[in-house]
């Protein structure tokens, strides 16, 4: 048990893996190698309360800096791992090699970048890190025109903060609706309406071309219409940071492939969080989940496996998004062919969309509707077969819909 | 600033000073008090920062919002004095507060 566990990556999964290794009784050394200069921090608030300024930087930290020292967890921050030597069991960094007995890859993900004329200009931003938001925040001034590329969660959360602050906001989306990749048309249309009411302009089915100014983007041309932009934020998805694993010859398929115990194709190397792809029983296929839940739960099972108490990963995926005074909570994984059952009236901003797959509850999107989310999550875990009529009847409490 | 006593399910007490404006959850996390997971980081999205508020302090608690109440309805071992600690903002009025943690947050 005196193994040295090295964790590459310094985010949510890394912090959880280190903390869980200690709470599960791992006695050997633990070292986190993180590319960013900050100790592990929460990313979800970056596009919400950290962007709006409601939350100071130190409130993002998952554990206070003293935690790591008190727990015997070494933090090598601002250090980029450059290679894994599997036969020599060493991780290479510009500051020297780090030897490991067990390695956990918690390398996370990185933003997909625009590939357009002018997209590398100074006023085009991405939002993934504290450093990114620190660059964006000075531009959040009332009256400025922000063009957001991408109407996913990040794009919409940024739109909500910006519109609330009094910026002019345009959202440009290549698909025909917002959140198209992750949810049903009824939820998309609800969020579209909420944002429009707040003054946000949407451009769907967008053909996009960025015009260069001298050193900054001045105009964005969308479907032939010219939008004068003070600055641009692109939220067009994230990609798994799996290059170290790939270069080391581990099995990688749009993410590092792990089994239900978080093991990669090398028995001494585990992986957790955004960088992984795993067979998910609730999806019935291999998926790559980009979420706090997956980072935390995979990190826990990796710690359990390393400490000799393997537990297989079987958590219902869940997510949340905060926009204006709305809380969206999602459990399960939506598929476009699911039967949609609406419970409550979207006009009241308190409702849920349930997704049945062959009669079995597969997912739920709940808006300001915690019982629908919490009970939905339990019913998804059980594989409950539900009567759509009962589910759609708000007079039947959520606790009783399955009976 | 408020002095808060957190009591683990095994009876171990942690007395810490928590700055105004932080939540009771953050007070625990910042001071390395175990027993509060707070997976969602305080967004009232996960119900893993459940605590039992000492009876003497119940009347001084800020009221529960709907979201907190309904999240709690689905947590384990919920009692009348259950709260989600991420939703309790610390102020001088809570100086001396005592909360107990459940056996498990999951």
């Amino acid at each position: 048990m005196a193994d040295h566990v090295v964790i590459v990556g310094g985010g949510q999964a890394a912090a959880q893996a280190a903390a869980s290794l200690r709470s599960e009784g791992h006695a050997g050394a633990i070292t986190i190698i993180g590319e960013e200069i900050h100790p592990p921090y929460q990313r979800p608030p970056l596009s919400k309360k950290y962007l709006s300024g409601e939350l100071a930087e130190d409130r993002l930290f998952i554990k206070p800096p003293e935690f790591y020292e008190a727990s015997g967890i070494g933090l090598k921050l601002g250090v980029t791992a450059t290679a894994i030597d599997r036969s020599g069991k060493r991780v290479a960094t510009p500051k020297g090699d780090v030897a490991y007995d067990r390695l956990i890859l918690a390398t996370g993900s990185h933003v997909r970048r625009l590939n357009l004329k002018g997209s590398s200009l100074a006023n085009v931003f991405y939002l993934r890190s504290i450093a990114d938001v620190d660059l964006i925040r000075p531009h959040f001034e009332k009256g400025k025109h922000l063009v957001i590329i991408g109407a996913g969660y990040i794009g919409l959360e940024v739109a909500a903060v910006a519109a609330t602050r009094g910026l002019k906001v345009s959202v440009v989306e290549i698909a025909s609706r917002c959140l198209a990749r992750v949810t049903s048309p009824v939820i998309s249309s609800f969020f579209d309406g909420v944002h429009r009411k707040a003054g946000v302009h949407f451009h769907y089915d967008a053909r996009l071309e960025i015009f260069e100014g001298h050193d900054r983007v001045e105009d964005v041309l969308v479907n032939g219409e010219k939008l004068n932009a003070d600055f641009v934020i692109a939220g067009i998805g994230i990609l798994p940071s799996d290059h170290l694993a790939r270069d080391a010859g581990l099995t990688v398929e749009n993410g590092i492939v792990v089994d239900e115990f978080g093991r990669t194709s090398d028995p001494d190397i585990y992986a957790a969080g955004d960088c992984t792809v795993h067979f998910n029983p609730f999806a019935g296929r291999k998926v790559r989940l980009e979420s706090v839940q997956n980072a935390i739960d995979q990190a826990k099972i990796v710690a359990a496996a390393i400490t000799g108490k393997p537990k297989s990963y079987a958590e219902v995926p869940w997510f949340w998004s905060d926009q204006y005074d709305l809380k969206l909570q999602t459990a399960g994984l939506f598929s476009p062919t699911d039967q949609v059952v609406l419970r409550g009236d979207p006009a009241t901003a308190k409702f849920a969309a349930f997704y049945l797959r062959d009669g079995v509850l597969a997912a739920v999107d709940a808006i300001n509707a915690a019982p629908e989310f919490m009970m939905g999550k339990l019913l998804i875990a059980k594989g409950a077969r539900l009567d759509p009529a009962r589910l759609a009847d708000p007079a039947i409490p959520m606790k009783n819909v399955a009976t | 600033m408020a002095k808060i006593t957190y009591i683990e399910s095994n009876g171990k007490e942690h007395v810490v000073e928590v700055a105004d404006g932080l939540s009771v959850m953050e007070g625990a996390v910042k001071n390395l008090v175990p027993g509060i997971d707070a997976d969602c980081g305080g967004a009232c999205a996960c119900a893993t920062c459940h605590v039992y508020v000492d009876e003497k302090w119940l009347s001084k608690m800020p009221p529960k919002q709907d979201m907190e109440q309904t999240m709690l309805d689905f947590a384990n071992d919920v009692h009348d004095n259950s709260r989600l600690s991420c939703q309790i903002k610390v102020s001088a009025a809570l100086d001396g507060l005592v909360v107990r943690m459940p056996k498990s947050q999951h």
Side-chain angles (χ1 to χ4, degrees):
Chain A
M1 280 307 261
D3 282 359
H4 181 198
V5 178
V6 173
I7 303 171
V8 178
Q12 188 98 43
Q16 185 68 50
S20 291
L21 279 167
R22 282 289 177 251
S23 62
E24 297 285 344
H26 176 74
I30 301 174
T31 303
I32 292 176
I33 303 174
E35 214 161 36
E36 293 180 61
I37 57 168
H38 304 98
Y41 62 88
Q42 307 168 58
R43 291 188 199 279
L46 293 180
S47 48
K48 309 177 184 85
K49 287 186 173 173
Y50 185 65
L51 179 61
S52 71
E54 286 166 78
L55 215 53
E57 182 183 283
D58 66 320
R59 293 180 73 185
L60 299 175
F61 298 152
I62 293 167
K63 303 278 186 191
E66 313 85 82
F67 165 81
Y68 301 95
E69 203 181 331
S71 310
I73 296 164
L75 279 183
K76 290 182 186 292
L77 300 178
V79 177
T80 304
T82 52
I84 303 165
D85 169 6
R86 288 168 57 194
S87 55
K89 298 180 84 167
R90 305 177 81 78
V91 176
T93 83
K95 297 194 171 165
D97 286 5
V98 182
Y100 67 84
D101 295 301
R102 307 289 188 100
L103 181 64
I104 301 174
L105 298 174
T107 43
S109 50
H110 54 278
V111 295
R112 185 191 298 274
R113 302 186 82 85
L114 291 163
N115 183 19
L116 282 171
K117 184 172 165 243
S119 60
S120 58
L121 291 174
N123 58 342
V124 178
F125 299 97
Y126 298 88
L127 200 162
R128 182 73 194 152
S129 65
I130 287 177
D132 291 339
V133 180
D134 290 348
L135 288 174
I136 290 170
R137 272 213 297 224
H139 296 267
F140 265 57
E141 283 174 18
K142 195 170 176 165
K144 285 214 176 172
H145 186 195
L146 164 62
V147 174
I148 297 171
I149 315 287
Y153 288 125
I154 294 293
L156 294 191
E157 288 176 356
V158 170
V161 174
T164 303
R165 179 67 59 85
L167 279 78
K168 277 175 61 189
V169 184
S170 302
V171 178
V172 175
E173 167 59 49
I174 198 165
S176 57
R177 58 184 173 94
C178 65
L179 303 173
R181 191 172 66 92
V182 290
T183 191
S184 61
V186 62
I187 300 292
S188 297
S189 123
F190 171 76
F191 277 104
D192 175 273
V194 167
H195 281 278
R196 279 180 199 276
K197 209 179 280 176
V200 174
H201 295 271
F202 285 94
H203 300 264
Y204 294 120
D205 297 310
R207 276 179 307 107
L208 171 71
E209 190 180 341
I210 289 183
F211 276 163
E212 290 188 47
H214 288 299
D215 51 359
R216 52 191 292 284
V217 172
E218 280 165 11
D219 294 303
V220 180
L221 188 69
V222 181
N223 294 346
E225 185 184 340
K226 205 185 237 190
L227 307 177
N228 185 258
D230 289 306
F231 65 116
V232 174
I233 299 176
I236 54 171
I238 51 177
L239 301 167
S241 298
D242 56 12
H243 60 281
L244 280 180
R246 190 181 317 108
D247 292 349
L250 298 177
T251 306
V252 170
E253 298 168 11
N254 181 33
I256 304 164
V257 177
V258 293
D259 66 10
E260 69 269 39
F261 304 106
R263 296 179 300 203
T264 69
S265 52
D266 180 322
D268 291 320
I269 305 180
Y270 297 75
D274 282 10
C275 63
T276 68
V277 60
H278 70 282
F279 178 83
N280 189 291
F282 299 101
R285 61 187 165 86
K286 272 190 196 157
V287 294
R288 180 166 61 80
L289 296 176
E290 303 163 350
S291 71
V292 164
Q293 172 272 320
N294 185 56
I296 288 177
D297 290 328
Q298 277 191 328
K300 285 180 180 170
I301 60 128
V302 164
I306 289 176
T307 51
K309 296 169 271 192
K311 276 189 300 199
S312 65
Y313 182 51
E315 301 297 325
V316 176
W318 63 269
F319 311 84
W320 79 94
S321 175
D322 297 325
Q323 297 167 40
Y324 309 103
D325 54 350
L326 301 170
K327 180 176 296 296
L328 166 70
Q329 291 168 293
T330 295
L333 298 169
F334 159 81
S335 162
T337 52
D338 291 341
Q339 178 190 357
V340 181
V341 179
L342 207 57
R343 178 180 168 94
D345 180 0
T348 64
K350 189 177 169 77
F351 72 104
F354 289 91
Y355 306 106
L356 299 180
R357 204 166 299 159
D358 303 319
V360 174
L361 186 62
V364 57
D365 285 318
I367 291 168
N368 290 349
E372 280 69 9
F373 165 70
M374 293 296 275
M375 197 64 210
K377 185 144 72 87
L378 292 173
L379 293 171
I380 294 164
K382 281 188 192 161
R385 184 169 294 280
L386 298 178
D387 174 359
R390 289 182 65 83
L391 199 53
D393 183 354
I396 301 174
M398 272 312 294
K399 284 191 173 175
N400 302 334
V401 292
T403 53
Chain B
M1 187 76 89
K3 188 177 276 186
I4 301 181
T5 303
Y6 297 85
I7 306 176
E8 292 184 62
S9 62
N10 63 12
K12 189 168 173 197
E13 289 191 14
H14 304 259
V15 184
V16 303
E17 300 268 351
V18 183
D20 291 358
L22 295 185
S23 66
V24 170
M25 175 277 283
E26 289 176 296
V29 171
K30 269 190 176 300
N31 290 288
L32 312 184
V33 177
I36 291 181
D37 290 354
D39 286 351
C40 76
C44 198
C46 70
T48 63
C49 63
H50 177 193
V51 296
Y52 304 113
V53 173
D54 189 87
E55 303 288 342
K56 289 199 291 285
W57 285 90
L58 281 177
S59 61
K60 298 206 171 67
M61 286 291 109
K64 277 181 242 181
Q65 305 287 318
D66 277 5
M67 181 63 72
E68 181 187 350
Q69 183 56 56
T70 45
M71 291 298 289
L72 270 171
D73 286 345
F74 292 89
N76 293 321
D77 298 321
V78 175
H79 304 153
D80 290 344
N81 60 339
S82 288
R83 293 294 303 255
L84 294 181
S85 56
C86 74
Q87 300 300 303
I88 308 172
K89 205 177 245 191
V90 173
S91 67
L94 296 189
D95 189 34
L97 175 68
V98 177
V99 298
R100 291 175 176 79
M101 275 80 83
K103 276 204 181 68
S104 162
Q105 294 287 355
H106 287 271

